[in-house]
Amino acid sequence: MYCQVIVDIVHENVARAFTYAIPEEMKVSPGQRVAVPFGSREKEGYVLALSEETEYDPGKIRAVKRTLEDYPAILPPMMELAREMAEKNHCPLAETLRLMIPAEMRGGRIRIRTEEWIDLTDEERARAAWSAESRSRKRKAILEMLMTGHPRRLAEIRERVPDSREALNKLETAGLIIRTEQEILRRPGTSLKSGSGEWHQLTPEQEEALEEILPAMRKGEGRFLLHGVTGSGKTEVFLAAARKALEDGKKAIILVPEIALTPQMVSWFQARFGTGAAVIHSRLSAGERFDEWRRIRRGEARIIIGARSAVFAPAENLGLIVVDEEHETTYQSDHHPRYDAREVARSRCDREGATLILASATPSILSFAKARRGDYMLLEMPRRVQDRPMPEVQLVDMRTELETGNRSVLSRALSSALISCMQKGEQAMLLINRRGYHSFVSCRACGHVIKCPNCDVSMTCHVDEMHPEDGGPTQLQCHYCGHRTPIPEKCPSCGSRYIRYFGAGTQKVEGEVRKLLPGIRTARMDIDTTGGKDGHARILEQFRSGEARILIGTQMIAKGLDFPQVTLVGVVAADMTLNLPDYRSRERTFQLLTQVAGRAGRGRRPGQVIIQTYRPEDPVLKMAARQDYRAFFEAEIQRRRTSLYPPYTILARILIESPAAAEAEDAAAGLGQAVRAVLDARPEWKKKVLLISSEGPGIRMLRGMERRQILMKMLTGSETEDFCAWLAKAAEEPRAGCQICFEYNPTSMI
Ligand code: ADP
Ligand code: ZN
Ligand code: ZN
């Protein structure tokens, strides 16, 4: 017997399968990982297929050394998925296969943890020995324990019969007992409070959605986009669908944007499904991650909750994949090999006969457009549960505040709403989409803005986290590379002492709130406060318990949190995301505002939302204030059609990075020429290309690397796909001193 093996090395020259012989006594199946000789070394590999014969000279074929696990780590449909992804990404199969197993599994870096068990060799003999035993009380006790139930954990025996080592040895030599090693799976502890385990009486809208979903699940089909306003009870629909999957003996995968920010989803699932649910997140230890993976692989965990990469969970007999908050950009991975978890989910469901539910209160423009085309069935839940009203949203014009002499980051309307919210004993959330104290520093005399030495971005002022009460910013930080410096006393450009601070961040807002409401506990949630294993959980718990009354944070606080005591939501500066140079900035702003507004009034008392802006007349802000998704979608899809943006076109870019500006320039110029030359030679490609630009990117230096790009806008079509394949190849050609990558519809345009 022979097998074809993908050797786990990512290199052009080994991007094909190698044939190895399978030794007589070895059992190997497709998807299994094996150790094989490769050159003079030993390498890990994945078995693609088996064959009886080979076209090579059998005398020259080397043999598989051993199997790495006694089961296939890659299930057959996952193997096909890896193949499809490799083809689409124009990358070696070894690279996409790596996505399917925990990183720690490669290179044998984690140990399986075992524990010792004691079993009886023969019950009859044991009983006889027990009756005859008169000399040792300990031996008698051990036999008695085992007779009432075996095998037993050695640890348990040791606990009940202290100092039993010698007695156990004697029993073993007498052939009465045997010791065995068994694997144990590490379970991640959870710091989350469990939710209620009760099943709600479904609302009519939840019922209606399930009336479409459940029959589709029975048939192993169905692609749904569940568009339900914030607070419409989407989670309950997922829970019911997951229960159905279990009843049918199938598995369900529930994807969330980020586990740490969706603790409630996790606790709801754990409360209803107990240990049948596995949670995969990035803060698991290597051992825990590996063990959760094996628990899923063995079929012990039947519901899998996790972020993006959980879409690769090795669940056999899959019945359902849910992608909650499907509009979130975290579903797109920008590490190599790139993937979009929504597309992978779709592909898995098609291949494995499972049902797909994408859900959001603010679906991505792309997904909603697909639903309108009929690719997904649209399910709508336009009302909140129990007829709770949607929050009332007010836009506040910050220009008027300035005119009337209010220089605070809080408008009068927001200040008084905060005061009255606190007087009523309720809770509030404030969103400011920038961390730190001030967003930038500039010289009043010459206008010089202090920038990071490694990046082409302005530095942000921060207050020392350890001594926040000292007041005023103490340090400058770069949010891209982490560079820190003290605040200069003089302008580095002209020497003037008139340094001025602009723009507010979370620290500044927190400072002002404390001044406005002394004695009210606030909590701040941003990257600076959520480090460590339980950073998020600690802050969310402070807020949930009511210990903190006002939660101030970046977009982290907008994601799916359900705090019934929150009646006021304030958005401190709505214009911030709207001004980003990206064709998606309107979509992101609308989503962010609608989502954060949706955190208000989820309990019995109605919610109020105040959005501060310098542009209250902006149509996007107005539609967000009305929480009118349909109107926004219609306007945005129209704009994309007329301005030729995705989904009507494809954006692609080649990004060139180098420590030396000249090298980056040269490479960009060379690649630009090559692109133009190939287009001249291939008119069928050229007619698809609407634009080629060598301008930008938005940030021309990042982490000490000079960056240049070639940006292209193209019409969709098979010729475009061919051209993109050519671009991906061209980007792979090495150029001295440069890192080059090809990005198809890049997640970020900076
Ligand atoms: P969404 O994700 O759509 O914003 P959630 O799933 O978080 O909404 O539900 C909002 C709130 O309504 C939660 O507190 C949830 O427990 C509650 N809820 C959901 N369905 C029901 C129901 N059928 N009856 C009563 N309460 C419900
Ligand atoms: Zn100056
Ligand atoms: Zn920097």
Side-chain angles (χ1 to χ4, degrees):
M1 278 298 270
Y2 301 94
C3 59
Q4 280 70 53
V5 173
I6 290 289
V7 180
D8 191 11
I9 307 173
V10 174
H11 193 284
E12 280 280 327
N13 301 335
V14 288
R16 62 179 180 87
F18 290 83
T19 300
Y20 288 89
I22 304 172
E24 280 291 323
E25 67 286 3
M26 197 183 284
K27 266 194 61 142
V28 173
S29 31
Q32 209 161 349
R33 298 195 318 134
V34 289
V36 292
F38 193 78
S40 58
R41 311 247 301 274
E42 179 183 300
K43 288 279 171 200
E44 294 182 352
Y46 308 86
V47 175
L48 267 191
L50 306 179
S51 60
E52 301 264 346
E53 282 159 30
T54 173
E55 60 198 78
Y56 302 105
D57 174 2
K60 288 200 177 139
I61 291 182
R62 302 167 82 180
V64 172
K65 287 193 157 170
R66 63 200 143 80
T67 55
L68 296 173
E69 290 92 20
D70 53 13
Y71 55 89
I74 315 275
L75 294 163
M78 302 305 279
M79 189 65 93
E80 278 173 46
L81 174 67
R83 241 193 255 262
E84 178 190 272
M85 290 177 69
E87 213 163 278
K88 210 161 138 193
N89 278 295
H90 313 285
C91 74
L93 184 52
E95 234 175 318
T96 52
L97 282 169
R98 285 178 183 178
L99 294 169
M100 315 284 158
I101 56 171
E104 299 81 11
M105 225 164 132
R106 297 173 45 234
R109 276 171 292 160
I110 23 180
R111 293 253 165 75
I112 288 171
R113 216 200 280 172
T114 57
E115 65 186 354
E116 258 191 282
W117 286 67
I118 305 290
D119 203 354
L120 292 176
T121 48
D122 185 328
E123 270 189 53
E124 293 279 302
R125 273 186 64 200
R127 205 158 308 226
W130 173 77
S131 325
E133 185 62 71
S134 55
R135 299 238 310 279
S136 160
R137 217 166 22 85
K138 285 181 190 165
R139 288 202 295 265
K140 197 157 179 128
I142 293 169
L143 286 173
E144 206 169 281
M145 255 182 95
L146 289 165
M147 277 154 47
T148 54
H150 62 101
R152 281 187 191 264
R153 281 168 44 237
L154 176 62
E156 190 194 347
I157 295 178
R158 288 221 175 112
E159 202 179 84
R160 300 243 303 255
V161 187
D163 292 324
S164 53
R165 183 184 303 260
E166 206 183 315
L168 281 163
N169 285 343
K170 282 247 167 71
L171 289 169
E172 197 179 4
T173 354
L176 287 163
I177 61 167
I178 52 164
R179 295 167 192 259
T180 52
E181 295 266 315
Q182 280 191 20
E183 279 183 34
I184 50 171
L185 300 181
R186 285 150 283 213
R187 291 302 315 280
T190 165
S191 55
L192 306 163
K193 285 254 155 52
S194 285
S196 107
E198 279 159 42
W199 293 86
H200 286 293
Q201 172 76 35
L202 296 177
T203 66
E205 288 182 349
Q206 288 168 333
E207 295 269 15
E208 267 168 48
L210 285 164
E211 267 163 34
E212 300 290 346
I213 294 168
L214 299 184
M217 286 181 71
R218 202 165 302 132
K219 292 188 224 144
E221 57 181 41
R223 313 287 167 254
F224 297 100
L225 177 62
L226 175 60
H227 174 218
V229 297
T230 56
S232 57
K234 294 185 283 296
T235 315
E236 211 57 38
V237 175
F238 311 154
L239 286 162
R243 180 166 68 174
K244 162 83 174 134
L246 290 198
E247 282 167 5
D248 295 350
K250 296 188 175 176
K251 315 279 166 42
I253 297 177
I254 317 294
L255 298 181
V256 295
E258 202 178 320
I259 282 283
L261 295 174
T262 41
Q264 289 155 339
M265 174 75 80
V266 174
S267 65
W268 282 329
F269 270 88
Q270 283 183 332
R272 310 269 175 101
F273 299 105
T275 52
V279 183
I280 318 182
H281 56 86
S282 58
R283 290 180 189 197
L284 293 183
S285 73
E288 286 170 344
R289 202 194 330 272
F290 176 53
D291 286 357
E292 285 292 85
W293 185 89
R294 283 190 306 154
R295 229 158 59 79
I296 299 164
R297 179 66 188 77
R298 293 176 181 185
E300 289 166 24
R302 294 157 69 204
I303 295 193
I304 299 110
I305 308 166
R308 180 171 78 209
S309 64
V311 75
F312 299 112
E316 246 171 321
N317 205 358
L318 188 65
L320 172 74
I321 302 183
V322 172
V323 185
D324 190 25
E325 311 287 358
E326 71 84 28
H327 62 279
E328 288 284 346
T329 52
T330 50
Y331 286 120
Q332 276 170 299
S333 156
D334 42 17
H335 304 299
H336 205 71
R338 288 155 184 279
Y339 66 91
D340 183 325
R342 292 164 296 195
E343 280 165 28
V344 176
R346 169 77 194 249
S347 162
R348 272 197 85 167
C349 287
D350 287 347
R351 188 174 292 112
E352 300 175 47
T355 299
L356 175 68
I357 307 176
L358 304 180
S360 176
T362 52
S364 63
I365 294 288
L366 296 191
S367 295
F368 204 82
K370 280 188 191 160
R372 274 231 309 216
R373 269 207 326 251
D375 277 0
Y376 301 125
M377 177 171 184
L378 185 63
L379 303 173
E380 305 239 39
M381 302 208 297
R383 276 181 301 275
R384 286 187 158 183
V385 294
Q386 295 171 340
D387 283 327
R388 286 170 197 159
M390 293 304 287
E392 195 184 296
V393 185
Q394 178 190 352
L395 288 172
V396 170
D397 188 345
M398 291 306 276
R399 290 168 306 192
T400 331
E401 295 294 311
L402 269 184
E403 278 161 23
T404 54
N406 177 14
R407 302 195 154 273
S408 160
V409 295
L410 304 175
S411 60
R412 290 160 301 170
L414 185 51
S415 298
S416 59
L418 270 172
I419 292 171
S420 94
C421 173
M422 292 303 111
Q423 279 168 350
K424 282 186 270 178
E426 297 164 358
Q427 288 185 309
M429 285 167 110
L430 293 179
L431 173 89
I432 170 82
N433 217 357
R434 164 109 47 178
R435 65 198 167 91
Y437 202 84
H438 290 293
S439 34
F440 67 99
V441 187
S442 102
C443 165
R444 202 197 282 248
C446 75
H448 177 80
V449 173
I450 299 184
K451 288 194 167 182
C452 172
N454 311 319
C455 309
D456 182 25
V457 295
S458 53
M459 301 213 28
T460 306
C461 292
H462 281 251
V463 176
D464 188 347
E465 290 287 346
M466 304 311 286
H467 309 284
E469 311 306 334
D470 292 356
T474 51
Q475 199 189 43
L476 293 176
Q477 264 184 37
C478 171
H479 284 183
Y480 288 87
C481 73
H483 180 77
R484 290 157 195 248
T485 62
I487 296 176
E489 282 172 19
K490 286 188 285 191
C491 168
S493 171
C494 74
S496 155
R497 289 185 172 277
Y498 290 105
I499 303 258
R500 269 196 64 181
Y501 303 95
F502 294 89
T506 45
Q507 288 184 329
K508 166 105 174 139
V509 172
E510 186 173 41
E512 297 230 350
V513 168
R514 286 182 174 172
K515 256 188 269 166
L516 180 74
L517 293 158
I520 294 280
R521 270 290 288 277
T522 58
R524 178 159 59 86
M525 192 152 108
D526 54 31
I527 298 176
D528 301 316
T529 60
T530 49
K533 203 169 152 91
D534 295 316
H536 294 93
R538 208 187 53 243
I539 294 170
L540 293 176
E541 190 45 41
Q542 266 178 24
F543 194 53
R544 163 163 307 284
S545 68
E547 187 189 331
R549 306 270 309 280
I550 303 175
L551 179 66
I552 297 153
T554 54
Q555 77 271 17
M556 281 181 188
I557 66 169
K559 292 188 193 179
L561 297 173
D562 185 42
F563 293 114
Q565 300 300 319
V566 173
T567 55
L568 173 65
V569 164
V571 178
V572 177
D575 315 74
M576 214 120 93
T577 48
L578 206 49
N579 294 336
L580 295 176
D582 191 313
Y583 74 94
R584 287 158 295 199
S585 60
R586 296 154 60 93
E587 180 179 357
R588 302 240 164 98
T589 304
F590 180 85
Q591 285 162 346
L592 181 64
L593 294 179
T594 313
Q595 292 288 345
V596 74
R599 302 307 115 210
R602 294 171 73 89
R604 256 171 240 111
R605 280 160 293 193
Q608 180 191 5
V609 180
I610 294 177
I611 299 178
Q612 304 189 151
T613 170
Y614 287 93
R615 275 197 286 172
E617 67 284 353
D618 188 286
V620 175
L621 300 187
K622 282 186 168 164
M623 289 183 281
R626 292 203 312 272
Q627 296 162 84
D628 188 347
Y629 178 81
R630 278 302 180 116
F632 172 72
F633 174 80
E634 296 304 340
E636 183 61 13
I637 199 82
Q638 186 58 34
R639 190 185 70 94
R640 299 232 183 142
R641 187 182 295 125
T642 49
S643 331
L644 294 168
Y645 278 117
Y648 298 100
T649 56
I650 286 162
L651 293 182
R653 72 170 173 179
I654 297 180
L655 185 67
I656 300 125
E657 296 186 297
S658 166
E663 281 179 358
E665 295 283 351
D666 281 355
L671 275 163
Q673 263 168 10
V675 168
R676 288 188 168 85
V678 79
L679 288 178
D680 284 337
R682 308 285 298 258
E684 73 280 15
W685 290 359
K686 190 170 187 169
K687 73 173 196 289
K688 291 283 185 185
V689 180
L690 302 170
L691 167 106
I692 307 179
S693 156
S694 323
E695 266 173 50
I699 298 180
R700 304 239 313 168
M701 187 171 63
L702 196 62
R703 299 179 194 94
M705 299 288 267
E706 292 285 342
R707 309 166 82 230
R708 300 294 180 270
Q709 72 179 20
I710 300 160
L711 182 70
M712 287 148 285
K713 193 193 257 189
M714 299 164 284
L715 295 168
T716 55
S718 63
E719 298 91 342
T720 310
E721 295 304 316
D722 294 343
F723 176 45
C724 284
W726 182 88
L727 287 168
K729 271 264 174 302
E732 266 168 28
E733 262 163 54
R735 285 181 192 254
C738 291
Q739 282 174 22
I740 300 173
C741 76
F742 170 70
E743 299 176 320
Y744 186 89
N745 279 340
T747 30
S748 148
M749 302 297 282
I750 61 161

